[in-house]
């Protein structure tokens, strides 16, 4: 928890959300599609807190000090049954962050033990609305390794979001994303962290912190996280994060 709160103090929601991801998806993910499940879940988690996140199909080349290089993913990914043969990450356009939550699925990176990738990138909105040019590269150091990501094109993105497998599990990705966001919000209420969280440029996050206050929370029988915010009528209510009433001018959750 101490490390997570340090991240919160730097106003980096991108980092803080990640530790709670595995709590939310550990019992429901499909191992063969771990990057797809994680990124679709995270997109919803970030979105509940008012942070826009976009799915980003990529390849990642992992280079060692001796020059040996291994490439993972594909610029033209395909499905084999219910398994997607590619790799994906997320980009957070408004904070210019690149996030790879599952980079440690690769042995070379897992041995270093530094956790998910979160890095700063420079981007600009293109005519088609995307924020990263297909073919562009993002280079990230990781211990004595160099990770070079190459961005795939719109066809690769369509191969994920338009496939029946992703569509069939959309509700699960949203539900686990809400649970991830709920656990993150609870951590942001900690003493010394809440003040920093309220300085973050996400009005929706501010509204949620105000609405939830110090209300207790627990998981229900379906393992959904529910808060018990004050009720003016005095009636018992345990609400999921996406059920909590917010002021009419509160920005909607992403994706919109």
């Amino acid at each position: 928890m101490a490390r997570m709160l340090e991240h919160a103090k730097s106003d980096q929601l991108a980092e803080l959300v990640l530790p709670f991801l595995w709590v939310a998806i550990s019992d429901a993910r499909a191992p063969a599609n771990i990057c797809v499940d994680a990124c679709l879940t995270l997109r919803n988690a970030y979105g509940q807190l008012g942070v826009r996140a976009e799915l980003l199909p990529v390849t990642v080349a992992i280079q060692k000090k001796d020059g040996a290089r291994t490439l993972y993913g594909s610029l033209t990914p395909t499905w084999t049954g219910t398994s997607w043969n590619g790799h994906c990450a997320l980009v957070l356009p408004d904070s210019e962050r690149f996030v790879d939550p599952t980079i440690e699925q690769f042995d070379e990176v897992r041995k270093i033990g530094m956790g998910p990738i979160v890095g700063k990138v420079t981007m600009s909105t293109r005519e088609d609305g995307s924020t990263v040019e297909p073919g562009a590269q993002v280079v990230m150091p990781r211990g004595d390794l160099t990770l070079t990501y190459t961005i795939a094109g719109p066809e690769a993105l369509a191969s994920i979001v338009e496939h029946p497998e992703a569509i069939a599990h959309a509700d699960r990705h949203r539900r686990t994303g809400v649970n991830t966001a709920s656990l993150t919000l609870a951590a942001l209420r900690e003493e010394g962290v809440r003040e920093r969280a309220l300085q973050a440029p996400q009005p929706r996050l501010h509204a949620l912190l105000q609405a939830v206050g110090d209300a207790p929370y627990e998981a229900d029988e379906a393992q959904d996280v529910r808060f018990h915010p004050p009720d003016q009528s005095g009636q018992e209510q345990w609400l999921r994060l996406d059920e909590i009433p917010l002021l009419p001018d509160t920005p909607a959750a992403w994706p919109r």
Side-chain angles (χ1 to χ4, degrees):
M1 178 63 75
R3 183 181 177 189
M4 288 187 283
L5 296 187
E6 287 176 6
H7 287 157
K9 290 177 182 178
S10 67
D11 295 332
Q12 298 303 328
L13 288 178
E15 290 95 336
L16 182 62
V17 175
L18 290 167
F20 300 108
L21 172 67
W22 307 114
V23 176
I25 71 172
S26 58
D27 294 331
R29 69 173 184 259
N33 298 328
I34 186 173
C35 65
V36 172
D37 280 334
C39 287
L40 288 173
T41 295
L42 271 180
R43 182 178 66 163
N44 282 286
Y46 285 131
Q48 285 294 321
L49 300 175
V51 178
R52 179 165 60 111
E54 298 177 359
L55 209 63
L56 202 63
V58 297
T59 63
V60 55
I62 301 177
Q63 183 169 324
K64 300 180 180 179
K65 289 175 61 177
D66 62 5
R69 187 173 182 269
T70 306
L71 182 68
Y72 298 98
S74 171
L75 294 179
T76 56
T78 59
W79 288 80
T80 301
T82 58
S83 297
W84 187 68
N85 307 311
H87 186 58
C88 64
L90 288 172
V91 62
L92 280 53
D94 300 322
S95 58
E96 296 191 322
R97 289 293 188 276
F98 176 89
V99 180
D100 185 347
T102 66
I103 188 61
E104 289 199 336
Q105 68 180 290
F106 305 120
D107 292 341
E108 308 96 306
V109 183
R110 185 169 59 252
K111 290 176 182 177
I112 297 175
M114 294 177 63
I117 288 282
V118 179
K120 182 78 173 178
V121 294
T122 300
M123 59 190 70
S124 58
T125 303
R126 304 168 62 229
E127 290 184 2
D128 62 2
S130 63
T131 53
V132 183
E133 181 82 27
Q137 293 190 325
V138 177
V139 180
M140 299 283 181
R142 175 51 57 106
D144 59 359
L145 302 175
T146 300
L147 312 183
T148 302
Y149 291 88
T150 301
I151 313 304
E155 296 83 2
L157 177 59
S159 78
I160 301 176
V161 298
E162 296 179 5
H163 192 274
E165 183 72 8
I167 295 172
H169 292 96
D171 183 67
R172 173 168 62 84
H173 291 134
R174 184 180 185 281
R175 172 187 164 191
T176 52
V178 171
N179 287 332
T180 302
S182 298
L183 295 171
T184 305
L185 188 71
L188 288 172
R189 302 186 302 178
E190 296 284 343
E191 183 178 356
V193 179
R194 178 185 172 89
E195 293 75 15
R196 290 296 187 106
L198 289 173
Q199 295 173 19
Q202 279 85 31
R204 183 175 178 84
L205 172 61
H206 305 168
L208 286 168
L209 285 169
Q210 181 67 31
V212 170
D214 296 324
Y217 67 96
E218 64 182 39
D220 62 17
E221 294 181 356
Q223 298 304 306
D224 287 329
V225 178
R226 293 185 179 272
F227 290 89
H228 186 25
D231 181 3
Q232 295 180 350
S233 67
Q235 294 183 346
E236 181 84 357
Q237 59 171 4
W238 287 93
L239 304 175
R240 285 168 48 105
L241 192 65
D242 55 347
E243 297 172 340
I244 295 174
L246 300 174
L247 294 175
D249 61 348
T250 301
W254 295 95
R256 298 172 184 168

